[in-house]
């Protein structure tokens, strides 16, 4: 191979990418970053004792985290990088620990069957062939899986919640519904930063205890409410000035996406708005890797779900009765689409 010829390096990085991914997820699961945050820099021997690591692989494991820029090492002691301290420590408001734990425990094994999903179009998770709702089956019935799932959704939505709380024009609106709210990070932060807004978290009844435990501790708890809602039931959704749908539409096929948006349009007060956010694919479908990979994850996780471009989303909200529509980036891989009624 000549010096100016093609290099296999990037292909090897992709093909072996699960090595780095699993190293990060294992470090998160084992509590490496949380331990260093709480007890300060430590040697390999100290971390072996604290985390129960075997000496055979511990040094290579920790040094691999250094090479991945997830840890620093100085004078034989390991410490968190600024990014790890911000995003990989359990309990911090910016933590992605819950998200990575769910990827590690649930999604990582399911992706081993991607080839089967691509050949059959069928889910490759806990859902059996008779189930059509991706959440009412195993996830919403198993306490351990559900607790991990709602925590993961909180991790994934924290950045968006901060943007909504501080940058959306709440002076023009008094009520908001976060549809598919999970633990309620979005209504919680909106209510905390906007003292005239009444915030409703709407989700299936099974979620209410998790919502009350998380959002109920807020200093704005008197303006944060949970309402049981199923957007496929006959009952109307609660009325509000603003509806927020985060990481919701990609769970469903096209007909269901349109049905959800139509039902939301009926619930939004005149002059109100809809905000749809998630891993939205770029219009040319070639630049944004994670949204396209997330759409493959929907293939594995849901019977009919898929991710979409902002243009597609705007078309669907227009069909539902909204006007305008603009796409704006959010922290991390997410994008939001805002339209008015």
């Amino acid at each position: 191979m000549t010096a100016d010829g093609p290099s296999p390096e990037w292909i090897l990085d992709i093909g072996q990418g699960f090595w780095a991914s699993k190293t990060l997820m294992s470090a998160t699961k084992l509590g490496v970053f949380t331990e260093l945050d709480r007890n300060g820099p430590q040697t390999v021997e100290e971390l072996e004792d604290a985390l129960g690591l075997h000496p055979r692989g511990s040094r290579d494991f920790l040094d691999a985290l250094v090479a991945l820029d997830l840890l620093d090492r100085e004078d034989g002691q390991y410490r968190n990088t600024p990014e790890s301290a911000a995003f990989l420590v359990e309990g911090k408001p910016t933590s992605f620990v819950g998200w990575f734990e769910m990827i590690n425990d649930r999604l990582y094994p399911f992706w081993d069957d991607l080839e089967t999903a691509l050949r059959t179009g069928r889910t490759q998770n806990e859902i059996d062939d008779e189930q059509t709702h991706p959440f009412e089956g195993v996830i919403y019935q198993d306490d351990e899986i559900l607790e991990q799932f709602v925590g993961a959704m909180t991790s994934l939505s924290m950045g968006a919640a901060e943007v909504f709380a501080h940058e959306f024009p709440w002076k023009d609106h008094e009520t908001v519904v976060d549809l598919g709210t999970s633990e309620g990070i979005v209504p919680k932060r909106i209510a905390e930063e906007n003292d005239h807004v009444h915030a409703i978290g709407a989700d299936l009844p099974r979620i209410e205890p998790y919502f009350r435990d998380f959002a109920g501790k807020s200093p704005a708890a008197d303006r944060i409410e949970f309402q049981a809602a199923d957007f496929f039931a006959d009952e109307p959704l609660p009325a509000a000035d603003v509806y927020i749908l985060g990481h919701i539409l990609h769970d469903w096929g096209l007909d269901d996406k349109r049905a959800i948006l139509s039902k939301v349009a009926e619930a939004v007060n005149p002059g109100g708005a809809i905000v749809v956010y998630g891993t939205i694919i770029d219009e040319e479908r070639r630049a944004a890797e994670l949204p396209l990979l997330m759409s493959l994850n929907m293939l594995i996780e849901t019977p009919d779900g898929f991710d979409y471009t902002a243009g597609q989303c705007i078309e669907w909200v227009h069909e539902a009765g909204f006007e305008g529509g603009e796409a704006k980036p959010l922290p991390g891989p997410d994008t939001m689409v805002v339209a008015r009624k």
Side-chain angles (χ1 to χ4, degrees), residues 8 14 38-39 46 51 55 68-69 100 102 111 130 143 150 169 171 210 213 241 259 290 333:
I14 295 172
R38 293 176 178 172
N39 296 309
E46 290 169 334
L51 303 175
L68 291 168
D69 293 325
F100 284 128
M102 189 183 77
W111 270 71
E130 300 301 318
D143 289 343
V150 296
K171 62 182 178 59
Y210 300 93
D213 184 59
D241 295 337
L290 195 145

Side-chain angles (χ1 to χ4, degrees), residues 26-265:
S26 295
T28 303
K29 186 79 173 180
L30 291 166
V32 172
F33 309 107
T34 301
E35 170 65 22
L36 291 172
D37 185 78
R38 293 176 178 172
N39 296 309
Q42 297 180 50
T43 65
V44 62
E45 292 81 12
E46 290 169 334
L47 286 168
E48 287 170 357
D49 290 341
L51 303 175
L53 304 178
H54 192 281
R56 181 185 173 193
S58 58
R59 189 177 297 276
D60 287 346
F61 173 55
L62 295 169
D63 286 343
L65 293 171
V66 172
L68 291 168
D69 293 325
L70 296 168
L71 291 180
D72 285 331
R73 187 189 67 236
E74 185 176 353
D75 298 329
Q77 289 189 316
Y78 297 88
R79 58 172 52 83
N80 287 330
T81 64
E83 292 79 10
S84 296
F87 302 117
L88 296 174
V89 174
E90 185 177 2
K92 287 195 174 181
T94 54
S95 174
F96 283 96
V97 168
W99 175 242
F100 284 128
E101 285 188 349
M102 189 183 77
I103 292 177
N104 184 72
D105 293 350
R106 287 191 65 251
L107 304 187
Y108 189 85
F110 299 149
W111 270 71
D112 190 45
D113 294 318
L114 176 60
E115 298 97 320
T116 302
L118 290 168
R119 289 191 177 108
T120 65
R122 295 180 178 176
T123 58
Q124 300 300 312
N125 60 4
E126 308 100 337
I127 299 174
D128 62 42
D129 289 339
E130 300 301 318
Q131 293 173 330
T132 58
H133 196 303
F135 301 112
E136 285 186 325
V138 175
I139 294 177
Y140 274 37
Q141 298 304 318
D142 186 296
D143 289 343
E144 184 176 348
I145 294 176
L146 181 56
E147 182 175 0
Q148 189 176 70
F149 176 79
V150 296
M153 293 302 100
T154 296
S155 294
L156 199 58
S157 298
M158 282 183 175
E162 293 303 312
V163 172
F164 300 149
H166 292 97
E167 299 182 18
F168 193 82
W170 292 110
K171 62 182 178 59
D172 302 325
H173 306 289
E174 297 182 352
T175 52
V176 57
V177 170
D178 180 41
L179 189 61
T181 192
S182 200
E183 289 183 310
I185 182 64
V186 170
K188 176 178 180 290
R189 291 300 296 132
I190 291 172
E192 287 171 349
E193 297 300 326
N194 301 274
D195 58 14
H196 68 290
V197 174
H198 182 83
I200 297 170
D203 211 316
L204 294 172
R206 186 75 171 81
I207 295 296
E208 184 171 2
Y210 300 93
F211 182 93
R212 294 195 180 281
D213 184 59
F214 181 83
K217 298 174 182 176
S218 169
D222 61 328
R223 289 182 290 105
I224 304 172
E225 174 188 356
F226 181 87
Q227 288 198 23
D230 183 342
F231 35 65
F232 295 125
D234 292 335
E235 295 81 7
L237 294 172
D241 295 337
V242 179
Y243 255 74
I244 297 176
L245 286 70
H247 307 115
I248 292 293
L249 287 186
H250 72 172
D251 295 331
W252 309 97
L254 181 56
D255 289 345
D256 285 336
K257 284 175 166 66
R258 286 172 165 151
I260 293 167
L261 291 171
S262 178
K263 193 163 187 176
V264 168

Side-chain angles (χ1 to χ4, degrees), residues 243-318:
Y243 255 74
I244 297 176
L245 286 70
H247 307 115
I248 292 293
L249 287 186
H250 72 172
D251 295 331
W252 309 97
L254 181 56
D255 289 345
D256 285 336
K257 284 175 166 66
R258 286 172 165 151
I260 293 167
L261 291 171
S262 178
K263 193 163 187 176
V264 168
E266 294 175 358
V268 174
N269 295 327
I274 184 174
V275 181
V276 178
Y277 76 93
T279 47
I280 293 178
I281 298 170
D282 65 286
E283 296 298 330
E284 297 298 321
R285 297 179 57 86
R286 65 170 66 244
E289 297 174 10
L290 195 145
L292 289 164
L293 295 173
M294 180 64 84
S295 200
L296 290 178
N297 190 60
M298 292 301 102
L299 169 66
I300 288 172
E301 280 275 77
T302 68
D304 299 299
F306 61 91
D307 280 85
Y308 45 86
T309 67
Q312 289 175 298
C313 185
I314 291 171
E315 176 186 342
W316 299 331
V317 298
H318 284 178

